[in-house]
Amino acid sequence: MSGGRYPTDCLPLAVPNMNQDRSSVRPSTAVPFWRDIRVLGILAQVAFVVVIVVSLGWVGNNVSQGLKALGGAQFLCDDGTSSFRCAFNFMSTAASFDIGEKVIDYSTTDSYWRALAIGVLNTIKVAVVGIILTTLLGVLAGIAVLSNNWLLSRIAIVYIDIIRNTPLLVQLFFLYFAVILQLPPLKDSLRPGLGIYLNQRGITLPWPAFTASFPLWLAFVFLGLIQFQLFFLILNRQPGKPTNRWLWPVVSGAVVIAVGWYYAVNFNSSQAVLTSRASRVAQATDVLTGLEALVIKRLPVTKLTPAELEKVDAETLAEAALTVCVLKASPSEPNFVSQIESRNIPFRIERFDRPDQAVADYAEGECEVIVGDRVMLAAERAVLENADTHLLTPIAEYPVVISLPRLEGLNLVGGVKLTPEFAAILFGLVLYTGAFIAEIVRAGILSVPRGQSEAARALGLTETQRLRLVVLPQALRVIIPPLTSQYLNLTKNSSLAIAVAYPDLVAVTNTIINQSGRSMQVIALIMLSYLTVSLSISALLNWYNRRVVIVER
Amino acid sequence: MFRKNNSVIVALTIAALLLVACGGGGTTTVEVTRLVEVTREVQVAGTPETQQVQVPVTFAEAGDTLQTVQARGKVICGGNASVPGFGYLDPDTQQYAGFDIDFCKAIAAAVFDDPAAHEVVATTGQSRFPALQSGEVDVLIRNTTWTVSRDTSLGFDFGPTTFYDGQGMMVRKDSGIAKLEDLAGGTVCVQQGTTTEKNLADVMRALNVDYEPLVLADAQATREAYDEGRCDGFTTDKSGLVSQQILLQEPSAHVILNETMSKEPLGPLWRHGDNNWGDVITWVVYCTVQAEELGIDSTNVDEMLGSDDPVVLNTLGVEGDLGLALGLTADFCARTIKHVGNYGEIYDRNLGPDTPFNLPRALNSLWIDGGLQYSPPFR
C-alpha cells in the first residue's frame, strides 16, 4: 500500500494508476482502437452496408447479363427499336386465350392487361370470401377446443392437428380430385329440390334476373316502404299502442308494391316478340295463347299439359318445339321462358351476340319467334323484306324473374353456378387457414386473466354472454396481429389455384409468360399485384388493431 | 469483451472471403481457335500409308455449350416425364424412354460415342423455357412446337422438325360429339401455357363456338380431370392424345375427332447465340433421316462403312471431314446410327406398329415416300 489517496489493490486493471504522476501515464493503458467499442460499432455498420451494396450489385449485374443474353426482343417498342421504357408494351397485344371464370366481361380479343385484371379480380374474390369464412370457422374451432363438451373439443383438436400438419397442395388435390370430382356426372345430377342441381360440374342454383322494368317496380317498392313507415309512425303516436299497429302499415305497404308490380308488368311495354303473320298469333287473345295454339297444331294433343305431353315421343316433341331466338345474356330470355314454361310449351332456344344475326336467322326461318327489347325489334323489323308480314307484339315483362337452371346439350343454362374449381380452392384455403386461426383464437382467449371469467360468472352472465361481452373483446387485442398474417397467408396461398384449375392471378399470368416469353416483366407485375392486395389487407387490419388496442395510461 | 469483438472480426473475415470467392460472375464470349490433329487410316488401293492432316478450325460466333458439354462428359436434355411414347419415366425401371429421349441419346452418341452419356431433366410446360434460358439444360427436346414467337422473343433457335403433328380433340364415344361445333356450351380440358390453349381459343372463335376452358397445370392433372368427366373434350397434340389415351381408365370409350386444329411441328431447340451447338444438333437429326434414306440402320452400319457409294461414305464420315467442322469426330454420324439407329428405327421403336400407339408415319415419312422428312445433302 503506497501512501496515495486511492487504494491501489482494488482498482480494475484497465484504469490507469491514479496515484501516479500524470506525466508518467503510459499510453498503452488507453483502449486501442481495434478494441474500442465505438470504432468497432462504426466499422461493423460500414461493413454491413458494403456487404448489402455488393450483394445487390452482384444480383443486378446478374440480371443485366441475363437480359443481354436474351437479346433486345424482350423490350421491343412499336417502332422496332428496343428499350426499357417499352418493357410493358407487349401487354397491349391480344390475349388469344380463354379464361374459364370471370367476374367482368372478357373475350380472347382483349389485351393481356384485361386478362391480368381478370386474374387479380378472381384472386380478390377468393381472398375476400375466404377471409370471411375462415374467420368464422377459426373462431368457432378455437372456442370449441376450449369447450367443456368433451366430444366437441376432441373433434376440434383432431381437425386442427390433421389440417395443420398436411401440406396445403395435397389437401387441395384431395379435395378436388377425390371429393368434388367424384360427385355424380351432369346427366345424373342430384336434385335436392328448389331447382338446385348438384353434380361434378358444380352446384347450380336458381337466381333472380332483373329486367328493364325492375327500376320502375323498385320505385314502387320504395314508395311502399315509405308508406309503411308513415303508417307505423302515425299509429304509434296514438296513446295506448293500438293492437293493429303492424297490420295497417304492412297491408298498405304491400298494396303499393303489388300495384307497382301490376303496373310494371302490364303497362310497361318494353319487351316484345316478333312473329310472322302466318303464325296467326295476332288472332289469338294474347301472344302466349297464340303460340300455344301454334304448337298444339303440330302435336297429336289437344291441350298442353304434362300428362298429355308425356304421351308424345321425344322426336316429335323436339320437332314441334317452338324455336326462339334471343340475345345472349339478355333478361328477355328468363322472362319469356318463364312465361312459356308456365304454359308447358316445348321450346328450343338459339342465342346470338347481335340483333342482326338473330334477325338473319329469323328471316331464313330458322326460328319462329324473336324476343327482345321492343325498340330494337322495331328497328330490325323495319329493314326486313315485307316488313308488315311480321308482327311485333308486346309481352308482359316481370320486374324480377327467377332464372331456373335447365339441362341443354352439354351443360346447364340459367341460374348461377358455383364451379368445382372455386369451391375446391375456397374450401381448401378456408379449412387450412381456419386451423391456424383456431390456435390463434385459443391463445387469445387463454390470455384473458381467469379472474375476468370468474367475475363474469359471479355476475350471473351466461356462458355465451361471458364469451361475447367479457372474454372476446379483451382477447381481440392479442388475436388481431397474428390474424393479419394468416389473412395474408390465405391471400398468397391462393396462388396454388392452378392445381385445381381455378384461373387466379398466378394461373393467368403463367399463361401470359408462356405465350409472350417475358417472364421478368410479368413476374414483376405479379409481385406488384400481390403486394398491393396484401398491403391493403394489412392496412385495414392495422387500423382495426389500433382501435381495439389496450389504451395505456 | 474480447470474445465479442473476436466473433465480429471472424464474421467479417468470412464474409470478405465469401465475396472474393463468389465475385465476378457473368459470361464472356470467346472466339475459339483450335488446332485439330486428325489421324486416319484410309484403305485406298495403292497407297497404304497413313495420312496426318492438321486442320485449323475456327467456329465463328460459337457459344461455349459444346465445350461445356464435352468438359462435363454428358449432355443434359430437357425432356418430358409424363408423355408415353415421347418422353416417359417408367415408374418400375426408373428409366426415361421415348421418341424425344432417343434423339437426346443420339446427340450423346455423336459427341461421346456413348448413348448413355446423357441426363434427362424432366420439365413441365411452364418450366421448360426458363430451364433452357437459364442454362440448366443444354437442349430442349420435349414436344415443343416451332413458332415465330418462340424463335424470336423467347431467344431460342429450332432444329429440324422431328415430328410433324397437329392439335386434336378427344371426346367420349357416347357423348354424341362428332365435330368441334358440337362442343357448344361444353367444357374443354387443356394444359396451361402451351400453344394448345391459344389454338383452342382461336379455332373456337373462328367457329363461333361458346365453350368453357378448364386449364390445369400439367398433362396428368388435365387427363385425370377429363377422365373423371369434368370436361366434355380434351385437347392437345394428336400424338399426345394417343399416348394419354392409353393411361385413361377405359381407353376404348374415347375417340379422337378427325379434325386437326393446327400445325404443330415438334423439334429440338437451343439458346440463341450458339451456332456451333445448333449445327451439332441439326446435323445429328439430319444424319438419322439421311441414314434411313440411304438404307443405313444400326444393324448394317459396319458393313456400310466399306460401301462403294461415295454418298454413304460421306455421310458416315469415311470420306471427307464434315464432322470436324462441327467440332465432333468425322464419324459422328456412324456413331449415332450404330448406337441409336436411323429415323425409321427411332420412330418404330417408340411409336411404331409394335407399340401401343401404332401411329402411322403419315407426314413423318421420308420425302421419297410422300412425307416431309428431308435431309439436306451431307457434303
Side-chain angles (χ1 to χ4, degrees), chain B residues 216-352:
Chain B
L216 287 130
D218 58 36
Q220 191 196 351
T222 317
R223 184 193 67 238
E224 277 177 20
Y226 169 72
D227 211 3
E228 298 285 352
R230 174 70 182 86
C231 316
D232 302 298
F234 174 29
T235 180
T236 178
D237 300 341
K238 278 193 172 167
S239 57
L241 284 177
V242 169
S243 72
Q244 297 287 351
Q245 192 172 7
I246 296 174
L247 300 171
L248 291 171
Q249 287 167 19
E250 257 182 85
S252 51
H254 303 267
V255 67
I256 301 176
L257 296 179
N258 276 333
E259 292 168 77
T260 305
M261 293 158 72
S262 70
K263 295 189 286 198
E264 305 284 334
L266 310 176
L269 48 150
W270 59 91
R271 289 178 291 275
H272 267 173
D274 200 343
N275 291 16
N276 179 39
W277 180 237
D279 288 338
V280 168
I281 300 172
T282 304
W283 287 100
V284 166
V285 173
Y286 279 139
C287 156
T288 61
V289 176
Q290 177 82 326
E292 191 189 358
E293 194 185 315
L294 294 170
I296 311 172
D297 60 45
S298 52
T299 55
N300 64 7
V301 156
D302 293 322
E303 297 159 35
M304 289 295 210
L305 281 174
S307 156
D308 297 324
D309 187 357
V311 179
V312 171
L313 293 177
N314 267 321
T315 308
L316 293 177
V318 177
E319 275 175 16
D321 53 8
L322 302 167
L324 305 181
L326 288 172
L328 306 173
T329 57
D331 64 344
F332 79 98
C333 191
R335 285 177 175 182
T336 310
I337 305 303
K338 187 156 79 173
H339 290 298
V340 183
N342 64 25
Y343 183 86
E345 286 180 288
I346 297 175
Y347 193 99
D348 288 335
R349 186 185 310 137
N350 293 294
L351 307 166

Side-chain angles (χ1 to χ4, degrees), chain A residues 267-299:
Chain A
F267 292 95
N268 177 31
S269 57
S270 72
Q271 287 285 313
V273 295
L274 189 65
T275 49
S276 69
R277 253 178 229 284
S279 67
R280 298 179 206 252
V281 156
Q283 293 158 1
T285 44
D286 65 287
V287 179
L288 289 171
T289 322
L291 291 172
E292 223 183 304
L294 190 66
V295 173
I296 286 178
K297 266 210 300 237
R298 303 178 189 157
L299 291 170

Side-chain angles (χ1 to χ4, degrees), chain A residues 224-225 227-229 231-232 235 244-257:
Chain A
L225 286 172
Q227 179 93 327
F228 169 86
Q229 191 71 336
F231 255 93
F232 196 67
L235 285 178
N244 56 355
R245 67 192 172 115
W246 281 103
L247 179 67
W248 278 112
V250 166
V251 164
S252 67
V255 161
V256 171
I257 293 175

Side-chain angles (χ1 to χ4, degrees), chain A residues 127-245:
Chain A
V128 167
V129 182
I131 285 176
I132 295 171
L133 289 178
T134 197
T135 314
L136 277 170
L137 178 64
V139 168
L140 285 174
I143 296 175
V145 173
L146 296 169
S147 142
N148 289 327
N149 186 336
W150 179 87
L151 187 63
L152 196 60
S153 69
R154 286 297 129 192
I155 292 176
I157 290 175
V158 164
Y159 153 66
I160 292 173
D161 278 334
I162 292 182
I163 298 288
R164 266 204 315 183
N165 295 319
T166 34
L168 177 59
L169 192 57
V170 169
Q171 292 180 32
L172 284 175
F173 274 129
F174 179 77
L175 203 58
Y176 187 60
F177 285 103
V179 175
I180 292 180
L181 284 189
Q182 300 303 322
L183 284 171
L186 187 63
K187 302 212 168 31
D188 310 321
S189 301
L190 297 172
R191 310 276 307 272
L194 290 180
I196 299 177
Y197 281 78
L198 181 63
N199 53 55
Q200 71 181 171
R201 302 230 176 150
I203 176 168
T204 316
L205 308 163
W207 201 247
F210 301 105
T211 59
S213 55
F214 178 69
L216 183 65
W217 183 62
L218 197 62
F220 274 91
V221 170
F222 280 136
L223 271 176
L225 286 172
I226 295 171
Q227 179 93 327
F228 169 86
Q229 191 71 336
L230 270 175
F231 255 93
F232 196 67
L233 283 172
I234 293 172
L235 285 178
N236 268 331
R237 288 258 169 92
Q238 298 177 11
K241 292 233 169 79
T243 45
N244 56 355
R245 67 192 172 115

Side-chain angles (χ1 to χ4, degrees), chain A residues 526-547:
Chain A
I526 298 177
M527 287 184 352
L528 202 66
S529 311
Y530 273 116
L531 196 63
T532 315
V533 175
S534 301
L535 283 178
S536 319
I537 294 178
S538 52
L540 204 69
L541 278 163
N542 281 340
W543 167 81
Y544 184 58
N545 192 24
R546 273 196 297 274
R547 274 191 43 174

